[in-house]
Amino acid sequence: MMAVEHRGTTSNIKEEALGKIKITKTTKSRLGEVDFSNLVFGKKYADHMLVADFDGKEWKNAEILPFQNLSVSPSNAAWHYGQAIFEGIKAYNDQEGNPMIFRPYDNYARFNKSAERMGMPEVPEWLFIGGMHLLIDLDRQWVPSNEGCSLYLRPFMIAADEFIGVRPSDTYKFCIINSPSGPYFNKPIHLLVQDKYIRAFPGGVGYAKAAGNYGGAMYPTMQARKDGYDQILWVDGHEYKWLQECGTMNVFVIIGNRALTPDLTNGTILAGVTRASVITVLEDMGFEVEERPVSIEEVVAAWKSGELREVFGTGTAASVAYVEQLDYKEHKISLDTTKYEAGAEVIRRLDAIRTGKTAEDKGWNYHI
């Protein structure tokens, strides 16, 4: 994934958003109700949210207002036909305590790519980026400073037509909510290589961050968790051997001095922003990164020969999650995550960039 060029300066985007987005501040902050020393992922929400409506022609009624429930008709098209997409983004405090959003333009581009695939309207920059800027500026005290913690941002869009005929909705609602969160995984994970259920096929919506992709994975993931696994490592639906994603993450395999990750050619894998960042960091570390088809058979063979060094997942929520065990049919691949050197250095470098401990010249951090 290439970094996305934006058309204006941060101040210009903020000014445009200020001219189009109404701001209604909460009269009573809930900040004191949160134990920032014990944050759980996705459980608490900041004081404010952003909402906007698409009326079939343009985006309007954009407002930042106190976090609250949405009023939605039972006939809302999203409930019935799955026109719903979302993104996951994180904001961190720099060393002076000022918020920074990590690579929001890459998420913005992916959001609109998902919207196109799902027959939904494009969200303009002033609303997605500018609205997020204003929202984080208002809720800046909600950005945690604890190590491993962040303010998780969830932009999403749903169909809004009150009509149960099968067609794309004419109207939509766009929202952004924020959640101060701790690590998604707080320990190394166990993966099951799933060779019965399939997540995505070429020509489908696997590359989109569509809600249905996650809904369809719920049942097989539930079954895997009953057997002691944390997530599923999905494979293709033709030969049942080519690696795709693992749960909410992309996957990396370290064999010798090579870092392997499945390529995005078939459109079955989400183009992760963290994935793209990790590829860059690994290359900076001197690894030969290969984006190509990776089979589970190649991983098993590397494990048997002693060349398999590390397996880890990458994603916005999880950041970098070490894989401690990978099970495929009769093969139970156990890995000593205390010896993970590549993953540990990737985490160190990414954290240093995202929190401003080290200067970065890639334009990844969006300063509030």
Side-chain angles (χ1 to χ4, degrees), residues 34-50:
V34 179
D35 179 5
F36 279 82
S37 65
N38 188 31
L39 290 173
V40 178
F41 186 89
K43 291 288 188 180
K44 300 291 184 180
Y45 298 93
D47 283 330
H48 299 91
M49 61 190 284
L50 180 145

mmCIF file with all atom_site columns, all heavy atoms in Angstrom, residues 34-50:
data_model
loop_
_atom_site.group_PDB
_atom_site.id
_atom_site.type_symbol
_atom_site.label_atom_id
_atom_site.label_alt_id
_atom_site.label_comp_id
_atom_site.label_asym_id
_atom_site.label_entity_id
_atom_site.label_seq_id
_atom_site.pdbx_PDB_ins_code
_atom_site.Cartn_x
_atom_site.Cartn_y
_atom_site.Cartn_z
_atom_site.occupancy
_atom_site.B_iso_or_equiv
_atom_site.pdbx_formal_charge
_atom_site.auth_seq_id
_atom_site.auth_comp_id
_atom_site.auth_asym_id
_atom_site.auth_atom_id
_atom_site.pdbx_PDB_model_num
ATOM 1   N N   . VAL A 1 34 ? -13.205 6.357  33.552 1.00 0.00 ? 34 VAL A N   1
ATOM 2   C CA  . VAL A 1 34 ? -12.330 5.394  32.884 1.00 0.00 ? 34 VAL A CA  1
ATOM 3   C C   . VAL A 1 34 ? -11.037 5.190  33.663 1.00 0.00 ? 34 VAL A C   1
ATOM 4   O O   . VAL A 1 34 ? -10.374 6.153  34.049 1.00 0.00 ? 34 VAL A O   1
ATOM 5   C CB  . VAL A 1 34 ? -11.993 5.871  31.445 1.00 0.00 ? 34 VAL A CB  1
ATOM 6   C CG1 . VAL A 1 34 ? -11.063 4.883  30.755 1.00 0.00 ? 34 VAL A CG1 1
ATOM 7   C CG2 . VAL A 1 34 ? -13.267 6.064  30.637 1.00 0.00 ? 34 VAL A CG2 1
ATOM 8   N N   . ASP A 1 35 ? -10.690 3.923  33.893 1.00 0.00 ? 35 ASP A N   1
ATOM 9   C CA  . ASP A 1 35 ? -9.413  3.568  34.522 1.00 0.00 ? 35 ASP A CA  1
ATOM 10  C C   . ASP A 1 35 ? -8.385  3.379  33.413 1.00 0.00 ? 35 ASP A C   1
ATOM 11  O O   . ASP A 1 35 ? -8.310  2.329  32.790 1.00 0.00 ? 35 ASP A O   1
ATOM 12  C CB  . ASP A 1 35 ? -9.578  2.284  35.338 1.00 0.00 ? 35 ASP A CB  1
ATOM 13  C CG  . ASP A 1 35 ? -8.276  1.853  36.008 1.00 0.00 ? 35 ASP A CG  1
ATOM 14  O OD1 . ASP A 1 35 ? -7.270  2.589  35.919 1.00 0.00 ? 35 ASP A OD1 1
ATOM 15  O OD2 . ASP A 1 35 ? -8.268  0.767  36.629 1.00 0.00 ? 35 ASP A OD2 1
ATOM 16  N N   . PHE A 1 36 ? -7.595  4.425  33.164 1.00 0.00 ? 36 PHE A N   1
ATOM 17  C CA  . PHE A 1 36 ? -6.644  4.374  32.057 1.00 0.00 ? 36 PHE A CA  1
ATOM 18  C C   . PHE A 1 36 ? -5.476  3.428  32.326 1.00 0.00 ? 36 PHE A C   1
ATOM 19  O O   . PHE A 1 36 ? -4.713  3.120  31.410 1.00 0.00 ? 36 PHE A O   1
ATOM 20  C CB  . PHE A 1 36 ? -6.132  5.781  31.742 1.00 0.00 ? 36 PHE A CB  1
ATOM 21  C CG  . PHE A 1 36 ? -7.073  6.581  30.887 1.00 0.00 ? 36 PHE A CG  1
ATOM 22  C CD1 . PHE A 1 36 ? -8.163  7.236  31.446 1.00 0.00 ? 36 PHE A CD1 1
ATOM 23  C CD2 . PHE A 1 36 ? -6.899  6.649  29.521 1.00 0.00 ? 36 PHE A CD2 1
ATOM 24  C CE1 . PHE A 1 36 ? -9.043  7.959  30.655 1.00 0.00 ? 36 PHE A CE1 1
ATOM 25  C CE2 . PHE A 1 36 ? -7.777  7.357  28.710 1.00 0.00 ? 36 PHE A CE2 1
ATOM 26  C CZ  . PHE A 1 36 ? -8.853  8.028  29.283 1.00 0.00 ? 36 PHE A CZ  1
ATOM 27  N N   . SER A 1 37 ? -5.338  2.958  33.549 1.00 0.00 ? 37 SER A N   1
ATOM 28  C CA  . SER A 1 37 ? -4.282  1.989  33.853 1.00 0.00 ? 37 SER A CA  1
ATOM 29  C C   . SER A 1 37 ? -4.728  0.558  33.582 1.00 0.00 ? 37 SER A C   1
ATOM 30  O O   . SER A 1 37 ? -3.939  -0.376 33.691 1.00 0.00 ? 37 SER A O   1
ATOM 31  C CB  . SER A 1 37 ? -3.858  2.128  35.324 1.00 0.00 ? 37 SER A CB  1
ATOM 32  O OG  . SER A 1 37 ? -4.926  1.779  36.196 1.00 0.00 ? 37 SER A OG  1
ATOM 33  N N   . ASN A 1 38 ? -6.000  0.402  33.209 1.00 0.00 ? 38 ASN A N   1
ATOM 34  C CA  . ASN A 1 38 ? -6.535  -0.941 32.976 1.00 0.00 ? 38 ASN A CA  1
ATOM 35  C C   . ASN A 1 38 ? -7.505  -0.917 31.799 1.00 0.00 ? 38 ASN A C   1
ATOM 36  O O   . ASN A 1 38 ? -8.673  -1.281 31.918 1.00 0.00 ? 38 ASN A O   1
ATOM 37  C CB  . ASN A 1 38 ? -7.236  -1.458 34.242 1.00 0.00 ? 38 ASN A CB  1
ATOM 38  C CG  . ASN A 1 38 ? -7.648  -2.911 34.136 1.00 0.00 ? 38 ASN A CG  1
ATOM 39  O OD1 . ASN A 1 38 ? -6.995  -3.713 33.465 1.00 0.00 ? 38 ASN A OD1 1
ATOM 40  N ND2 . ASN A 1 38 ? -8.756  -3.258 34.767 1.00 0.00 ? 38 ASN A ND2 1
ATOM 41  N N   . LEU A 1 39 ? -7.009  -0.496 30.651 1.00 0.00 ? 39 LEU A N   1
ATOM 42  C CA  . LEU A 1 39 ? -7.858  -0.362 29.477 1.00 0.00 ? 39 LEU A CA  1
ATOM 43  C C   . LEU A 1 39 ? -8.037  -1.703 28.766 1.00 0.00 ? 39 LEU A C   1
ATOM 44  O O   . LEU A 1 39 ? -7.079  -2.445 28.567 1.00 0.00 ? 39 LEU A O   1
ATOM 45  C CB  . LEU A 1 39 ? -7.257  0.647  28.498 1.00 0.00 ? 39 LEU A CB  1
ATOM 46  C CG  . LEU A 1 39 ? -7.268  2.114  28.934 1.00 0.00 ? 39 LEU A CG  1
ATOM 47  C CD1 . LEU A 1 39 ? -6.484  2.957  27.945 1.00 0.00 ? 39 LEU A CD1 1
ATOM 48  C CD2 . LEU A 1 39 ? -8.702  2.634  29.063 1.00 0.00 ? 39 LEU A CD2 1
ATOM 49  N N   . VAL A 1 40 ? -9.274  -1.980 28.381 1.00 0.00 ? 40 VAL A N   1
ATOM 50  C CA  . VAL A 1 40 ? -9.601  -3.162 27.590 1.00 0.00 ? 40 VAL A CA  1
ATOM 51  C C   . VAL A 1 40 ? -10.007 -2.674 26.203 1.00 0.00 ? 40 VAL A C   1
ATOM 52  O O   . VAL A 1 40 ? -10.646 -1.637 26.064 1.00 0.00 ? 40 VAL A O   1
ATOM 53  C CB  . VAL A 1 40 ? -10.747 -3.960 28.240 1.00 0.00 ? 40 VAL A CB  1
ATOM 54  C CG1 . VAL A 1 40 ? -11.123 -5.159 27.378 1.00 0.00 ? 40 VAL A CG1 1
ATOM 55  C CG2 . VAL A 1 40 ? -10.355 -4.393 29.642 1.00 0.00 ? 40 VAL A CG2 1
ATOM 56  N N   . PHE A 1 41 ? -9.633  -3.412 25.181 1.00 0.00 ? 41 PHE A N   1
ATOM 57  C CA  . PHE A 1 41 ? -9.926  -2.978 23.819 1.00 0.00 ? 41 PHE A CA  1
ATOM 58  C C   . PHE A 1 41 ? -11.436 -2.906 23.562 1.00 0.00 ? 41 PHE A C   1
ATOM 59  O O   . PHE A 1 41 ? -12.172 -3.851 23.808 1.00 0.00 ? 41 PHE A O   1
ATOM 60  C CB  . PHE A 1 41 ? -9.281  -3.923 22.798 1.00 0.00 ? 41 PHE A CB  1
ATOM 61  C CG  . PHE A 1 41 ? -9.436  -3.439 21.382 1.00 0.00 ? 41 PHE A CG  1
ATOM 62  C CD1 . PHE A 1 41 ? -8.494  -2.603 20.815 1.00 0.00 ? 41 PHE A CD1 1
ATOM 63  C CD2 . PHE A 1 41 ? -10.547 -3.812 20.634 1.00 0.00 ? 41 PHE A CD2 1
ATOM 64  C CE1 . PHE A 1 41 ? -8.656  -2.134 19.514 1.00 0.00 ? 41 PHE A CE1 1
ATOM 65  C CE2 . PHE A 1 41 ? -10.710 -3.355 19.336 1.00 0.00 ? 41 PHE A CE2 1
ATOM 66  C CZ  . PHE A 1 41 ? -9.763  -2.514 18.779 1.00 0.00 ? 41 PHE A CZ  1
ATOM 67  N N   . GLY A 1 42 ? -11.890 -1.739 23.076 1.00 0.00 ? 42 GLY A N   1
ATOM 68  C CA  . GLY A 1 42 ? -13.247 -1.591 22.564 1.00 0.00 ? 42 GLY A CA  1
ATOM 69  C C   . GLY A 1 42 ? -14.365 -1.584 23.584 1.00 0.00 ? 42 GLY A C   1
ATOM 70  O O   . GLY A 1 42 ? -15.521 -1.828 23.224 1.00 0.00 ? 42 GLY A O   1
ATOM 71  N N   . LYS A 1 43 ? -14.078 -1.267 24.852 1.00 0.00 ? 43 LYS A N   1
ATOM 72  C CA  . LYS A 1 43 ? -15.109 -1.304 25.887 1.00 0.00 ? 43 LYS A CA  1
ATOM 73  C C   . LYS A 1 43 ? -15.616 0.080  26.294 1.00 0.00 ? 43 LYS A C   1
ATOM 74  O O   . LYS A 1 43 ? -16.766 0.233  26.701 1.00 0.00 ? 43 LYS A O   1
ATOM 75  C CB  . LYS A 1 43 ? -14.560 -2.022 27.139 1.00 0.00 ? 43 LYS A CB  1
ATOM 76  C CG  . LYS A 1 43 ? -14.339 -3.508 26.959 1.00 0.00 ? 43 LYS A CG  1
ATOM 77  C CD  . LYS A 1 43 ? -15.642 -4.268 26.888 1.00 0.00 ? 43 LYS A CD  1
ATOM 78  C CE  . LYS A 1 43 ? -15.421 -5.772 26.902 1.00 0.00 ? 43 LYS A CE  1
ATOM 79  N NZ  . LYS A 1 43 ? -16.693 -6.518 26.835 1.00 0.00 ? 43 LYS A NZ  1
ATOM 80  N N   . LYS A 1 44 ? -14.763 1.089  26.224 1.00 0.00 ? 44 LYS A N   1
ATOM 81  C CA  . LYS A 1 44 ? -15.130 2.434  26.638 1.00 0.00 ? 44 LYS A CA  1
ATOM 82  C C   . LYS A 1 44 ? -15.072 3.382  25.446 1.00 0.00 ? 44 LYS A C   1
ATOM 83  O O   . LYS A 1 44 ? -14.283 3.173  24.520 1.00 0.00 ? 44 LYS A O   1
ATOM 84  C CB  . LYS A 1 44 ? -14.185 2.940  27.737 1.00 0.00 ? 44 LYS A CB  1
ATOM 85  C CG  . LYS A 1 44 ? -14.186 2.092  29.009 1.00 0.00 ? 44 LYS A CG  1
ATOM 86  C CD  . LYS A 1 44 ? -15.506 2.213  29.754 1.00 0.00 ? 44 LYS A CD  1
ATOM 87  C CE  . LYS A 1 44 ? -15.474 1.443  31.065 1.00 0.00 ? 44 LYS A CE  1
ATOM 88  N NZ  . LYS A 1 44 ? -16.752 1.553  31.809 1.00 0.00 ? 44 LYS A NZ  1
ATOM 89  N N   . TYR A 1 45 ? -15.874 4.448  25.500 1.00 0.00 ? 45 TYR A N   1
ATOM 90  C CA  . TYR A 1 45 ? -15.940 5.370  24.369 1.00 0.00 ? 45 TYR A CA  1
ATOM 91  C C   . TYR A 1 45 ? -15.797 6.809  24.839 1.00 0.00 ? 45 TYR A C   1
ATOM 92  O O   . TYR A 1 45 ? -16.275 7.182  25.919 1.00 0.00 ? 45 TYR A O   1
ATOM 93  C CB  . TYR A 1 45 ? -17.254 5.162  23.601 1.00 0.00 ? 45 TYR A CB  1
ATOM 94  C CG  . TYR A 1 45 ? -17.319 3.761  23.048 1.00 0.00 ? 45 TYR A CG  1
ATOM 95  C CD1 . TYR A 1 45 ? -17.943 2.735  23.765 1.00 0.00 ? 45 TYR A CD1 1
ATOM 96  C CD2 . TYR A 1 45 ? -16.683 3.450  21.858 1.00 0.00 ? 45 TYR A CD2 1
ATOM 97  C CE1 . TYR A 1 45 ? -17.948 1.437  23.291 1.00 0.00 ? 45 TYR A CE1 1
ATOM 98  C CE2 . TYR A 1 45 ? -16.681 2.143  21.372 1.00 0.00 ? 45 TYR A CE2 1
ATOM 99  C CZ  . TYR A 1 45 ? -17.312 1.155  22.098 1.00 0.00 ? 45 TYR A CZ  1
ATOM 100 O OH  . TYR A 1 45 ? -17.293 -0.137 21.625 1.00 0.00 ? 45 TYR A OH  1
ATOM 101 N N   . ALA A 1 46 ? -15.131 7.604  24.012 1.00 0.00 ? 46 ALA A N   1
ATOM 102 C CA  . ALA A 1 46 ? -14.842 8.984  24.359 1.00 0.00 ? 46 ALA A CA  1
ATOM 103 C C   . ALA A 1 46 ? -16.122 9.823  24.375 1.00 0.00 ? 46 ALA A C   1
ATOM 104 O O   . ALA A 1 46 ? -17.202 9.368  24.004 1.00 0.00 ? 46 ALA A O   1
ATOM 105 C CB  . ALA A 1 46 ? -13.814 9.564  23.387 1.00 0.00 ? 46 ALA A CB  1
ATOM 106 N N   . ASP A 1 47 ? -15.985 11.081 24.782 1.00 0.00 ? 47 ASP A N   1
ATOM 107 C CA  . ASP A 1 47 ? -17.146 11.943 25.006 1.00 0.00 ? 47 ASP A CA  1
ATOM 108 C C   . ASP A 1 47 ? -17.938 12.281 23.754 1.00 0.00 ? 47 ASP A C   1
ATOM 109 O O   . ASP A 1 47 ? -19.141 12.531 23.825 1.00 0.00 ? 47 ASP A O   1
ATOM 110 C CB  . ASP A 1 47 ? -16.696 13.259 25.656 1.00 0.00 ? 47 ASP A CB  1
ATOM 111 C CG  . ASP A 1 47 ? -16.401 13.109 27.144 1.00 0.00 ? 47 ASP A CG  1
ATOM 112 O OD1 . ASP A 1 47 ? -17.039 12.253 27.792 1.00 0.00 ? 47 ASP A OD1 1
ATOM 113 O OD2 . ASP A 1 47 ? -15.545 13.852 27.653 1.00 0.00 ? 47 ASP A OD2 1
ATOM 114 N N   . HIS A 1 48 ? -17.273 12.302 22.595 1.00 0.00 ? 48 HIS A N   1
ATOM 115 C CA  . HIS A 1 48 ? -17.934 12.814 21.405 1.00 0.00 ? 48 HIS A CA  1
ATOM 116 C C   . HIS A 1 48 ? -17.887 11.829 20.227 1.00 0.00 ? 48 HIS A C   1
ATOM 117 O O   . HIS A 1 48 ? -17.068 10.903 20.222 1.00 0.00 ? 48 HIS A O   1
ATOM 118 C CB  . HIS A 1 48 ? -17.308 14.146 20.982 1.00 0.00 ? 48 HIS A CB  1
ATOM 119 C CG  . HIS A 1 48 ? -17.426 15.215 22.019 1.00 0.00 ? 48 HIS A CG  1
ATOM 120 N ND1 . HIS A 1 48 ? -16.453 15.424 22.988 1.00 0.00 ? 48 HIS A ND1 1
ATOM 121 C CD2 . HIS A 1 48 ? -18.411 16.125 22.261 1.00 0.00 ? 48 HIS A CD2 1
ATOM 122 C CE1 . HIS A 1 48 ? -16.830 16.422 23.771 1.00 0.00 ? 48 HIS A CE1 1
ATOM 123 N NE2 . HIS A 1 48 ? -18.004 16.855 23.351 1.00 0.00 ? 48 HIS A NE2 1
ATOM 124 N N   . MET A 1 49 ? -18.732 12.056 19.271 1.00 0.00 ? 49 MET A N   1
ATOM 125 C CA  . MET A 1 49 ? -18.782 11.267 18.046 1.00 0.00 ? 49 MET A CA  1
ATOM 126 C C   . MET A 1 49 ? -19.104 12.201 16.883 1.00 0.00 ? 49 MET A C   1
ATOM 127 O O   . MET A 1 49 ? -19.597 13.312 17.086 1.00 0.00 ? 49 MET A O   1
ATOM 128 C CB  . MET A 1 49 ? -19.844 10.175 18.152 1.00 0.00 ? 49 MET A CB  1
ATOM 129 C CG  . MET A 1 49 ? -21.255 10.714 18.357 1.00 0.00 ? 49 MET A CG  1
ATOM 130 S SD  . MET A 1 49 ? -22.484 9.452  18.772 1.00 0.00 ? 49 MET A SD  1
ATOM 131 C CE  . MET A 1 49 ? -22.735 8.675  17.181 1.00 0.00 ? 49 MET A CE  1
ATOM 132 N N   . LEU A 1 50 ? -18.814 11.746 15.678 1.00 0.00 ? 50 LEU A N   1
ATOM 133 C CA  . LEU A 1 50 ? -19.159 12.515 14.481 1.00 0.00 ? 50 LEU A CA  1
ATOM 134 C C   . LEU A 1 50 ? -20.221 11.763 13.706 1.00 0.00 ? 50 LEU A C   1
ATOM 135 O O   . LEU A 1 50 ? -20.150 10.535 13.565 1.00 0.00 ? 50 LEU A O   1
ATOM 136 C CB  . LEU A 1 50 ? -17.922 12.726 13.606 1.00 0.00 ? 50 LEU A CB  1
ATOM 137 C CG  . LEU A 1 50 ? -18.126 13.519 12.306 1.00 0.00 ? 50 LEU A CG  1
ATOM 138 C CD1 . LEU A 1 50 ? -16.892 14.356 12.000 1.00 0.00 ? 50 LEU A CD1 1
ATOM 139 C CD2 . LEU A 1 50 ? -18.431 12.608 11.117 1.00 0.00 ? 50 LEU A CD2 1
#
